[in-house]
Amino acid sequence: MARRIIVAFNPPLYCRLLIVLAVVAPGCAKVTTRFDVLSFKNSTGQELYSEVFPNGGYAITAHRNQVFTFEIAPHSSRGDSDLSNPNDAEYRQLVRVEVFWKPRPGATYADSSQTNANITYCLITGKDSITYEGAGFVYLKRSMDNKTITGQIESATLVPAHFQGEPADLFGPCHLKGNFVAREDRVAVTAIEQRLSRLRNAATTQPAIQ
């Protein structure tokens, strides 16, 4: 069994993430979908944010790229989230990872500047949203039964790219790492891609003056 230690931040509820530290007993190790964001917004020091997502879906594009999507929706059933609070009811997180070439572990040379994936991380609160976009390096591995793909984001650099309304910029420029699990689910991928597209079309590239 896994024992979870949950530490909650105390900014306004609409921009709060949880740091989740999982201590897993020997023999119980299991890949979960978790993204770690190292924020450089604060000039006096770095801040680390971590979030565990439900496992996601993936689909193959017409260009043979692999697109993975993940979502934490309002009223999520996850036991380590405080989404039962009515003030948090419209808080949502979306992550999209598009891998456009697949490295071969042990055979593909990678340096710190090499990328093979476009990555989007979106925070939504009601009518306000902020989207962080960038690129990174991702390794993929298909399961023995061919039903799931696990991935590792080795490194990624993201920056605030699109703003709608008056969202809080929680991360600023940041680095992202993480692991994920996804099953083939074109319907789920399409739904999240359409939501991100609508947000992008309605957004600006500069935050509103507050």
Side-chain angles (χ1 to χ4, degrees), residues 75-76 81-89:
H75 301 299
S76 168
S81 183
D82 191 27
L83 293 176
S84 59
N85 189 305
N87 294 323
D88 253 353

Side-chain angles (χ1 to χ4, degrees), residues 107-125:
T108 302
Y109 173 77
D111 61 36
S112 59
S113 64
Q114 194 170 29
T115 64
N116 71 335
N118 295 323
I119 299 173
T120 300
Y121 199 131
C122 183
L123 304 178
I124 306 169
T125 306

Side-chain angles (χ1 to χ4, degrees), residues 10 12 26 36 39 55 66 76 83 100-101 144 167 169-170 209:
N10 290 314
D36 300 324
S39 169
N55 292 342
Q66 293 171 293
S76 168
L83 293 176
F100 42 85
W101 63 269
M144 295 293 291
D169 179 5
L170 186 60
I209 299 176

Side-chain angles (χ1 to χ4, degrees), residues 11-17 87-88 90-92 123-126 128 166-170 210:
L13 289 173
Y14 59 81
C15 68
R16 188 177 62 200
L17 290 178
N87 294 323
D88 253 353
E90 297 303 319
Y91 182 57
R92 185 185 301 267
L123 304 178
I124 306 169
T125 306
D128 299 328
E166 297 182 355
D169 179 5
L170 186 60
Q210 301 184 19

